[in-house]
Amino acid sequence: MSDGRAERIAEFVEPLRVEPGSRVDLERDFDPRYKGGLRKSEGVELLRTGVSLLAEYQDRLAAQDTYGVVLCLQALDAGGKDGTIRHVMSGVNPQGVRVSSFKVPSTEELDHDYLWRYAQRLPARGEIAIFNRSHYEEVLVVRVHPEVLLRQHLPEQEPGRGVGHGIWDRRYREINRWERYLTDNGFKVVKVFLNLSKEEQRTRFLKRIDLPEKNWKFSAADVRERRRWDDYQKAFSEMLSATSTRWAPWYVVPADRKWFARICAAAVLAHTLMDIDPQYPEVSPEVRKDLLVTKRGLEREAPAGAPSDPYAARHPASDGTGGHGGRKRRKRKRRRKHG
């Protein structure tokens, strides 16, 4: 892009990216309080810019109708997934975005393979699908609570070895291959882990108890799950190590400061869309000729004293059809970009 936005966003998200093939120790490698030298007052404008970019590129994504995007959000309880979705997607067209929250699987879902319910919620081309929790629950919650495997009706891979033998490495491989399949077919997989500290989680739980309007958010089960903190940190670290790939890398977003986490999530999604760089389709010369005929007919219907084409009157640089004038402007931009 000629204005350098793509390069600046790429530099911003690079420290958050998990290098494919690297061995991650979550506590050692990623600080939940990192804020990139920004102040909160600066963050408001940055988030606004990010949301504006998302709206622009989502419109182009829908118009091109070639790519789809899957945004996977993972976090521990109180990590800020709902707030991130609400703020980051505030400026986009809701018709082009679908949010799916994955809870405890139903009986029907357990009667299928473990990726089945996630495949049902994939986007169409031109759409963005947001997974509030995702297929990675199958190597996180299920790993911390292996008794869940008993409800998945899995066959033994080797007689006498039990259903859990080698299952995590196998699922990592299957997930990587599935995401590669999606990517090869035009569906980009964007993976964001909201990295919350144990103390910040405690603080947020207490806030949910202290404020009556937040009591509905509190769950004693979340506090019980907190007792497995170390188990989850290990599961997250191994998941990040095994499934951050060149075609679908993980981004670890510092989540102790909600305002910064939202900026990061917006930047990661914007980076993906800008990398796709979807374009508005150009119609054929025959269709454009028909448009000009229709345009002249509409211009003749203008009331007395009114401009024949109000839009063209307000935007004299346009040719009124989105045609040659638009192409000329794009050519000028390309010339500036390449010197």
Side-chain angles (χ1 to χ4, degrees):
M1 292 188 63
S2 59
D3 60 6
R5 290 182 297 178
E7 292 80 3
R8 291 196 297 273
I9 288 180
E11 290 174 1
F12 181 81
V13 303
E14 183 58 30
L16 314 176
R17 180 174 171 269
V18 176
E19 182 66 25
S22 64
R23 178 60 58 185
V24 175
D25 182 317
L26 198 53
E27 185 176 359
R28 178 197 65 201
D29 298 331
F30 294 96
D31 179 7
R33 296 195 61 76
Y34 170 79
K35 60 175 183 174
L38 290 178
R39 295 190 300 272
K40 188 174 182 179
S41 57
E42 300 171 307
V44 173
E45 183 59 33
L46 280 173
L47 182 58
R48 189 178 296 119
T49 300
V51 169
S52 175
L53 273 173
L54 290 178
E56 172 190 341
Y57 275 84
Q58 182 214 11
D59 191 53
R60 287 163 54 171
L61 184 80
Q64 189 184 62
D65 198 31
T66 301
Y67 292 92
V69 175
V70 185
L71 172 60
C72 301
L73 278 178
Q74 288 293 151
L76 286 170
D77 298 310
K81 297 185 302 300
D82 293 339
T84 296
I85 294 169
R86 186 169 62 252
H87 285 80
V88 170
M89 307 308 290
S90 60
V92 302
N93 184 344
Q95 288 184 315
V97 178
R98 181 169 58 187
V99 180
S100 299
S101 297
F102 294 99
K103 307 295 186 182
V104 176
S106 66
T107 301
E108 180 188 15
E109 290 167 341
L110 288 171
D111 274 340
H112 292 81
D113 66 272
Y114 71 94
L115 289 174
W116 180 81
R117 65 172 179 159
Y118 307 102
Q120 305 306 302
R121 305 303 297 169
L122 288 171
R125 300 188 191 279
E127 292 183 344
I128 298 173
I130 302 176
F131 287 0
N132 185 343
R133 301 184 187 272
S134 69
H135 46 291
Y136 284 97
E137 293 293 282
E138 307 297 335
V139 293
L140 292 169
V141 173
V142 179
R143 182 163 191 173
V144 173
H145 295 279
E147 65 274 12
V148 176
L149 285 174
L150 299 177
R151 298 201 298 271
Q152 295 189 349
H153 311 300
L154 299 175
E156 291 184 357
Q157 295 296 306
E158 298 178 37
R161 301 298 294 270
V163 298
H165 178 67
I167 191 169
W168 310 121
D169 288 340
R170 188 166 69 248
R171 285 195 172 181
Y172 293 147
R173 290 195 302 271
E174 291 163 351
I175 287 171
N176 287 340
R177 289 168 182 165
W178 187 57
E179 291 175 353
R180 181 60 185 263
Y181 164 79
L182 293 174
T183 301
D184 287 346
N185 282 274
F187 296 91
K188 299 292 186 179
V189 182
V190 189
K191 302 183 298 196
V192 172
F193 171 57
L194 299 173
N195 186 28
L196 189 70
S197 71
K198 192 173 185 179
E199 175 56 21
E200 180 62 21
Q201 186 193 58
R202 186 182 75 91
T203 300
R204 293 183 187 181
F205 281 166
L206 287 170
K207 186 175 181 180
R208 290 180 179 183
I209 296 172
D210 293 338
L211 297 178
E213 66 272 22
K214 291 187 178 291
N215 287 170
W216 67 274
K217 283 188 169 185
F218 180 77
S219 168
D222 293 344
V223 177
R224 288 195 298 271
E225 204 69 358
R226 176 178 163 84
R227 299 170 190 163
R228 309 295 296 271
W229 180 272
D230 291 342
D231 295 331
Y232 274 107
Q233 295 300 295
K234 180 180 178 182
F236 277 123
S237 295
E238 294 195 13
M239 174 201 76
L240 295 168
S241 301
T243 61
S244 190
T245 59
R246 178 177 51 81
W247 54 90
W250 273 102
Y251 294 88
V252 178
V253 167
D256 276 16
R257 295 179 171 89
K258 292 181 180 180
W259 61 269
F260 187 70
R262 291 162 185 166
I263 293 170
C264 292
V268 168
L269 184 53
H271 173 61
T272 301
L273 291 171
M274 294 170 93
D275 190 52
I276 295 172
D277 196 22
Q279 301 295 317
Y280 291 111
E282 291 196 9
V283 299
S284 68
E286 291 77 15
V287 171
R288 189 164 304 286
K289 187 182 298 183
D290 291 340
L291 288 176
L292 290 172
V293 172
T294 303
K295 172 181 166 67
R296 286 193 289 271
L298 291 170
E299 287 175 336
R300 286 193 292 269
E301 295 179 15
S308 59
D309 185 339
Y311 178 83
R314 292 194 302 270
H315 303 84
S318 169
D319 69 352
T321 68
H324 299 296
R327 284 201 293 272
K328 288 176 182 177
R329 286 193 298 277
R330 285 193 290 274
K331 288 179 180 177
R332 286 197 296 270
K333 285 184 179 180
R334 285 197 290 269
R335 283 198 295 270
R336 287 198 299 269
K337 180 176 180 180
H338 299 292

